[in-house]
Amino acid sequence: MNRGRNRFNKFKKVLYLLAHIVSIFPVPIRMRLFGLIRNIKGIKGLALRYIVLKSLAKKCGDNVSIHPGVYIFNLNQLIIGDNVSIHPMCYIECYGGLSIGNDVSIAHSTTILSTTHNFSILTKAINNQGVSSCPVFVSDNVWIGCKATILGNINIGSGAVIGANSLVNKDVHKNCIVAGVPARKIKERI
């Protein structure tokens, strides 16, 4: 059951050492490297992405699996805990701040946004009004279903489950199961 954790612990010291060595390179080079290794498959790809992520993120825990085809932007604003998996085709924008707790699973094609466009000035084009930071907090032991979208200024409580194809535009309480567009409480986990 804990094969990934056991494998990670076996190579933890080597991964930490390599992350430390990679951190010597300037940030733009590491960011470019993260993009270049985005689609490498297998254990090799998981290890390479972890090493570079660890050198770029504000904080990166143990046993973090970033699968192929994941797009993560503004990694310097990402805090990610232990035993987190982010599956293929996810789009994650960390500009406004993103904190992901421990034991979180993010299914494929999920979008997490920590910004929103400004649009209040009627005399100015929306694309010239900039963006606002909208931090997102995902607590421990959360499962985010495939193709879910999580907008900015959201707190997801521990033990929550986000249903597939859901649009989360308001906070999700501890141990709640939510689904739909917009996401609504379906029931609580007992």
Side-chain angles (χ1 to χ4, degrees):
M1 172 118 174
N2 293 326
R3 287 185 353 223
R5 293 177 191 185
N6 293 339
R7 195 174 325 160
F8 178 86
N9 287 331
K10 184 176 178 182
F11 297 103
K12 181 177 179 176
K13 289 181 182 179
V14 173
L15 292 169
Y16 273 37
L17 175 63
L18 291 171
H20 179 71
I21 291 168
V22 168
S23 68
I24 294 169
F25 294 100
V27 170
I29 291 174
R30 287 183 275 151
M31 292 296 295
R32 177 83 172 123
L33 179 60
F34 193 75
L36 290 172
I37 62 176
R38 176 176 291 123
N39 293 312
I40 297 175
K41 295 180 181 174
I43 299 296
K44 178 181 169 184
L46 290 172
L48 289 171
R49 283 185 292 277
Y50 177 79
I51 290 164
V52 179
L53 176 72
K54 184 121 179 107
S55 78
L56 287 167
K58 189 181 280 189
K59 179 185 177 290
C60 179
D62 292 346
N63 193 34
V64 175
S65 297
I66 308 295
H67 291 264
V70 173
Y71 287 81
I72 306 175
F73 298 97
N74 297 295
L75 284 161
N76 62 323
Q77 297 300 317
L78 174 64
I79 297 172
I80 191 166
D82 298 333
N83 307 313
V84 174
S85 61
I86 302 175
H87 291 266
M89 301 178 292
C90 289
Y91 179 95
I92 300 172
E93 172 54 70
C94 306
Y95 177 82
L98 173 59
S99 177
I100 299 172
N102 300 319
D103 304 305
V104 173
S105 182
I106 301 173
H108 68 279
S109 298
T110 293
T111 298
I112 301 175
L113 302 172
S114 65
T115 60
T116 189
H117 283 278
N118 299 326
F119 53 87
S120 61
I121 303 169
L122 297 177
T123 59
K124 190 174 186 180
I126 293 171
N127 62 355
N128 291 327
Q129 293 187 44
V131 296
S132 293
S133 296
C134 305
V136 174
F137 299 93
V138 179
S139 298
D140 296 342
N141 190 31
V142 170
W143 175 25
I144 301 173
C146 64
K147 297 184 182 177
T149 298
I150 299 169
L151 300 180
N153 286 328
I154 298 295
N155 291 304
I156 299 176
S158 64
V161 176
I162 311 298
N165 290 305
S166 295
L167 172 65
V168 179
N169 64 354
K170 58 185 171 186
D171 291 351
V172 177
H173 298 290
K174 180 179 180 178
N175 293 321
C176 279
I177 300 172
V178 300
V181 178
R184 292 186 314 262
K185 180 179 173 182
I186 303 300
K187 64 179 181 177
E188 289 192 34
R189 294 177 60 220
I190 298 175

